[in-house]
Amino acid sequence: MTTTPEDPTPLLPGRPPVVDLATWQAAREELLVREKAHTHEGDALAAARRRLPMVEFDGTVEVVGPKGPVPFLELFQGREELVVYKHMWHDGAPHQGQCEGCTTTAWHLQDAVYLNARGVSFAVLTTGRWDEVASYVGFMGYTQPWYSVRDVDAPIGGDMGYLTCFLRDGDRVFLTYSTTGRGNERVNGSLGLLDMTPYGRGEAWEANPEGWPEGRNACWSWRSDADGNATWGPTSRPVPQWTRPGATPVRTLGRHSHHH
């Protein structure tokens, strides 16, 4: 530990300064003012979203799920609103080679019961061929409904990597909202919690104090090998997969090999 002449408080390298509780509380309350302003601006943005116009499209267009082709209308499950996540897809890739960002987003949407309680259904859409998609869903252990929208036009198909909202009025269907990039972070509770911690996400773009652990590329920690080392190599798989009973390291990796 070291101290400076201006501040005799011991400094721990690479860690926040150590202060008494009253000093911490004052700093915390100062930051809280900014946090509340951020919350209120978020409320205003949400209000603006609710006032966006909407676009009608054909809800009878078919998507492919476990029971074969079904009209998009069926994804509402009788409810008025629907949120979908559009999962990017790499044709022919092994399960552990699918998009790391989409993998973690979908993992955080494993259960939609609270959405359902508010009259909102949820589904995952992707452009993969259904046979590949079904195998991948089983490998990952996803419990939400998945559908292939291969060769389906926007707003049902189109570009992937989006959170998109729809509204139903009887048999009429409307697009109301869509976001991508960091807009998708809203469903990833792990990122929100990491943002509260002293070291944050551990990513290179973050503004950190001098001496903090060096940041790495985005999503760097989301794939690992059997020993928990972050890697995107042939021995990697999405982190949640190592928590599954019987998970074994990947020994060899062919282009079409599927390891459970």
Side-chain angles (χ1 to χ4, degrees):
M1 293 189 297
T2 58
T3 61
T4 60
E6 298 79 19
D7 183 0
T9 304
L11 299 177
L12 300 173
R15 289 169 171 79
V18 180
V19 298
D20 59 62
L21 183 58
T23 304
W24 175 86
Q25 189 65 50
R28 174 70 194 94
E29 290 175 0
E30 183 179 356
L31 180 60
L32 184 61
V33 174
R34 294 179 59 190
E35 288 181 335
K36 288 296 184 184
H38 185 256
T39 300
H40 293 156
E41 177 60 16
D43 292 342
L45 286 170
R49 283 188 203 100
R50 293 192 291 272
R51 288 162 174 78
L52 283 173
M54 60 186 185
V55 180
E56 186 168 10
F57 63 95
D58 182 3
T60 66
V61 170
E62 291 187 330
V63 299
V64 180
K67 299 178 181 178
V70 297
F72 182 73
L73 267 165
E74 189 167 308
L75 275 60
F76 283 82
Q77 299 174 329
R79 300 182 180 95
E80 284 189 318
E81 295 182 280
L82 170 68
V83 176
V84 305
Y85 181 64
K86 296 185 172 183
H87 195 292
M88 294 179 183
W89 193 262
H90 303 308
D91 284 342
H95 295 326
Q96 58 268 33
Q98 293 298 342
C99 173
E100 58 281 343
C102 288
T103 298
T104 192
T105 299
W107 188 265
H108 282 82
L109 284 163
Q110 288 278 63
D111 196 323
V113 292
Y114 282 105
L115 291 177
N116 298 162
R118 192 61 187 84
V120 180
S121 291
F122 173 76
V124 182
L125 309 181
T126 190
T127 55
R129 297 179 182 88
W130 178 249
D131 59 338
E132 288 190 11
V133 173
S135 179
Y136 174 70
V137 170
F139 170 79
M140 290 298 295
Y142 291 136
T143 57
Q144 293 305 302
W146 279 63
Y147 296 89
S148 171
V149 293
R150 196 176 188 85
D151 301 324
V152 177
D153 293 334
I156 299 174
D159 291 338
M160 297 289 105
Y162 285 76
L163 282 166
T164 305
C165 301
F166 301 97
L167 181 67
R168 181 177 68 88
D169 184 2
D171 289 337
R172 299 178 69 186
V173 180
F174 306 87
L175 165 71
T176 62
Y177 180 72
S178 189
T179 188
T180 189
R182 297 196 67 184
N184 293 345
E185 289 184 1
R186 183 171 295 269
V187 302
N188 189 336
S190 297
L191 290 179
L193 289 174
L194 287 171
D195 285 343
M196 294 181 179
T197 67
Y199 289 155
R201 307 181 186 190
E203 296 180 358
W205 60 270
E206 291 178 287
N208 282 331
E210 192 71 30
W212 250 234
E214 186 175 352
R216 297 169 65 175
N217 53 289
C219 318
W220 67 272
S221 61
W222 293 351
R223 286 185 185 168
S224 72
D225 61 20
D227 297 322
N229 301 310
T231 176
W232 288 8
T235 61
S236 77
R237 66 173 62 175
V239 166
Q241 283 306 300
W242 295 114
T243 67
R244 297 182 67 176
T248 56
V250 177
R251 299 302 181 189
T252 58
L253 186 63
R255 181 68 177 157
H256 296 280
S257 61
H258 293 161
H259 298 274
H260 290 259

